[in-house]
């Protein structure tokens, strides 16, 4: 039986799947597969290594080059400990707002596209629309690269539109993100003999201070440059979010670990920051091992998401500006999968309904006005591909 949903109904359906990144997204993907199949649209899975999560992409329209990829991630962030007033996995409409986890970030963009599949087919488009749904964007854009690799030889698109919430503004640049976990192994002694031990906590503290010092250097170096002025803040930031270590106040800590992220300007190379950080850890490690040869520092790279670089006469930017009429310059400091699509050879832009201020928040919502703006945008895209 052919299935039909309004954009609001499709959003409610997608939100009803608890796709917090720690969970599988396959139930949602199975629903999308069934829905697309009911319209005669085949789709392709690109699974993770253990088959617990999967990307999905599908093509609607003729098998020709020059189409458009609409990209959205299926996972959402946790709701644990947040003071929600409603069930976060049910869309509740109140005073023109649609509450629910993922309404803004970013199931609405994909819900609109899926609800418009019947209109895409009816329009007899001359160039196709490709839907690209990924997993694990929220924990480091882990899923998209394998999907892009699978699509690239088969899908020669004019543009990729990543539908993260931009209030339907055309975002042509964003920072990259490098996520690290640093683990320090010290040497335990009684704190009265601290000079004979190695405190993992003290060493970790030096590394955390390095983050702050590097960020202050960046601020002085780039905050007044014209090419960084649109970013908020206009420099690469380094931040430590979680730290834990030690066993007692009178024992030099054997272990300490902390997580950090670098939000890197798209004009800069995150690997240069990592190399500088590694060089400093090697200096400290040498000092530690002069006291205790077993002491060490390990750095785990949890994720490395490239920034979105402004393209010179990019076809994606040109297309979306023509549809939206937005000719202003916009950049954001949060990360998306846009840079990964650019690395895959695609011209890419970020543009979608909703306000990033609602992303990850308790009582996350999308306004009905923004939902309608997203519908209008995608309908005009269909008309353009049919003309």
């Amino acid at each position: 039986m052919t299935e039909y949903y309004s954009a609001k109904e499709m959003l409610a359906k997608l939100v009803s799947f608890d796709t917090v990144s720690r969970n599988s997204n396959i139930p949602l993907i199975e629903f999308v597969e069934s829905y697309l199949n009911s319209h005669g649209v085949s789709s392709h899975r690109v699974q993770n290594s253990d088959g617990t999560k999967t990307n999905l992409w599908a093509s609607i329209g003729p098998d020709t080059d020059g189409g458009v990829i609409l990209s959205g991630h299926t996972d959402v962030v946790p709701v644990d400990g947040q003071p929600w007033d409603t069930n976060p996995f049910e869309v509740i409409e109140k005073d023109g707002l649609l509450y629910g986890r993922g309404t803004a970030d970013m199931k609405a963009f994909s819900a609109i596209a899926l609800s418009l599949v019947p209109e895409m087919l009816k329009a007899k488009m001359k160039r196709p629309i490709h839907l690209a749904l990924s997993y694990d964007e929220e924990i480091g854009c882990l899923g998209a690269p394998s999907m892009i690799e699978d699509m690239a030889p088969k899908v020669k698109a004019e543009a990729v539109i990543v539908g993260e919430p931009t209030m339907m503004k055309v975002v042509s640049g964003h920072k990259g993100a490098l996520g690290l976990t640093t683990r320090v192994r010290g040497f335990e002694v009684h704190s009265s003999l601290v000079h004979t031990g190695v405190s993992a906590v003290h060493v970790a503290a030096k590394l955390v201070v390095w983050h702050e010092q590097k960020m202050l250097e960046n601020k002085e170096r780039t905050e007044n440059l014209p090419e960084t002025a649109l970013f908020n803040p206009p420099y690469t930031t380094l931040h430590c979010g979680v730290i834990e270590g030690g066993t007692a106040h009178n024992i030099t800590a054997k272990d300490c670990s902390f997580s950090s992220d670098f939000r890197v300007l798209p004009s800069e190379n995150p690997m240069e920051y990592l190399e500088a950080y590694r060089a400093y850890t090697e200096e400290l490690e040498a000092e530690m091992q002069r006291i205790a040869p077993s002491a060490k520092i390990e750095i785990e790279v949890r994720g490395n998401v490239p920034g979105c670089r402004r393209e010179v006469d990019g076809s994606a930017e040109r297309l979306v500006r023509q549809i939206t009429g937005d000719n202003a310059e916009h950049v954001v400091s949060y990360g998306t999968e846009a840079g990964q699509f650019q690395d895959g050879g695609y011209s890419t832009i970020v543009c979608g309904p909703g306000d990033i201020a609602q992303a990850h928040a308790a009582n996350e919502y999308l306004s009905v006005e923004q939902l309608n703006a997203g519908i209008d945008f995608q309908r005009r895209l269909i008309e353009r591909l049919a003309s």
Side-chain angles (χ1 to χ4, degrees):
M1 175 185 289
T2 305
E3 303 174 40
Y4 295 92
Y5 292 81
S6 68
K8 194 182 297 184
E9 291 169 340
M10 183 62 76
L11 177 60
K13 187 67 177 178
L14 297 186
V15 168
S16 72
F17 293 99
D18 179 355
T19 52
V20 170
S21 303
R22 62 177 173 243
N23 302 328
S24 173
N25 71 332
I26 287 180
L28 181 150
I29 293 297
E30 288 176 339
F31 161 73
V32 173
E33 285 176 323
S34 174
Y35 168 76
L36 292 174
N37 187 59
S38 79
H39 290 280
V41 176
S42 61
S43 53
H44 312 268
R45 289 194 189 194
V46 184
Q47 298 188 141
N48 66 353
S49 58
D50 61 9
T52 56
K53 298 181 181 181
T54 189
N55 303 296
L56 186 81
W57 66 273
S59 300
I60 300 102
D63 183 15
T64 60
D65 295 344
V68 175
I69 297 172
L70 302 180
S71 167
H73 61 81
T74 61
D75 61 318
V76 296
V77 297
V79 299
D80 308 56
Q82 291 187 331
W84 281 77
D85 297 328
T86 62
N87 178 357
F89 299 106
E90 178 183 358
V91 171
I92 302 296
E93 183 174 357
K94 182 179 179 181
D95 298 328
L97 305 177
L98 302 167
Y99 292 90
R101 175 55 91 223
T103 50
D105 184 20
M106 58 165 292
K107 290 182 174 179
F109 183 77
S110 299
I112 293 167
L114 289 167
S115 72
L116 293 179
V117 165
E119 294 186 28
M120 295 176 192
L121 294 169
K122 186 177 179 180
K124 300 188 184 304
M125 298 181 298
K126 295 180 175 63
R127 291 178 289 157
I129 287 177
H130 310 278
L131 307 181
L133 305 180
S134 65
Y135 66 86
D136 282 358
E137 189 271 351
E138 295 290 4
I139 56 174
C141 296
L142 304 182
S146 61
M147 177 174 61
I148 295 166
E149 183 179 4
D150 189 64
M151 294 178 71
K154 308 159 191 169
V155 176
K156 307 300 181 185
E158 172 192 7
V160 176
I161 304 171
V162 178
E164 294 278 4
T166 69
M167 298 294 285
M168 297 309 300
K169 301 254 193 296
V170 181
V171 169
S172 58
H174 67 66
K175 293 182 178 181
L178 180 67
L180 305 178
T181 297
T182 303
R183 298 181 180 90
V184 182
R185 170 59 59 91
F187 183 70
E188 290 177 308
V189 299
H190 192 282
S191 62
S192 64
L193 299 172
V194 65
H195 65 292
T196 66
V198 176
S199 170
V201 166
H202 282 211
V203 173
K206 292 179 181 179
L207 293 171
V208 172
V209 170
W210 181 91
H211 285 65
E212 182 74 12
Q213 291 174 335
K214 182 62 69 173
M215 182 163 62
L216 291 174
E217 291 172 13
N218 291 342
K219 181 178 181 182
E220 293 179 4
R221 179 172 55 85
T222 68
E223 76 169 335
N224 294 316
L225 297 178
E227 58 266 34
T228 67
L230 288 175
F231 285 95
N232 182 25
Y235 50 88
T236 291
T237 59
L238 295 84
H239 168 258
C240 299
V242 177
I243 186 168
E244 54 184 344
T247 53
H249 72 279
N250 58 355
I251 303 174
T252 57
K254 181 180 180 181
D255 292 293
C256 187
S257 65
F258 60 91
S259 63
S260 56
D261 65 56
F262 301 3
R263 301 287 174 166
V264 183
L265 291 168
S267 59
E268 297 185 338
N269 183 355
M271 290 300 100
E272 292 182 2
Y273 283 94
L274 181 57
E275 289 170 8
Y277 184 50
R278 287 193 190 279
Y280 182 56
T281 62
E282 289 170 3
E283 291 178 18
L284 292 183
E285 190 174 66
E287 294 175 11
M288 297 160 63
Q289 290 177 349
R290 280 195 285 270
I291 298 172
S294 62
K296 61 182 179 179
I297 304 172
E298 297 176 340
I299 302 169
E300 175 191 353
V301 178
R302 299 191 319 275
N304 181 16
V305 181
C308 178
R309 289 85 65 191
R310 175 72 187 275
E311 301 170 10
V312 178
D313 193 30
S315 57
E317 180 178 348
R318 185 169 60 251
L319 170 69
V320 177
R321 288 196 186 283
Q322 289 171 349
I323 295 174
T324 63
D326 177 19
N327 291 313
E329 296 295 328
H330 306 284
V331 299
V332 294
S333 292
Y334 59 84
T336 80
E337 296 164 338
Q340 294 174 323
F341 276 99
Q342 287 181 321
D343 288 349
Y346 291 108
S347 178
T348 307
I349 204 73
V350 184
C351 183
D355 187 345
I356 192 60
Q358 288 302 314
H360 304 186
N363 299 318
E364 175 183 351
Y365 66 77
L366 175 79
S367 70
V368 173
E369 180 182 19
Q370 276 293 296
L371 181 70
N372 290 336
I375 295 169
D376 182 59
F377 170 82
Q378 292 197 30
R379 279 183 168 148
R380 281 184 279 161
L381 173 63
I382 294 169
E383 290 175 3
R384 186 179 183 88
L385 295 177
S387 64

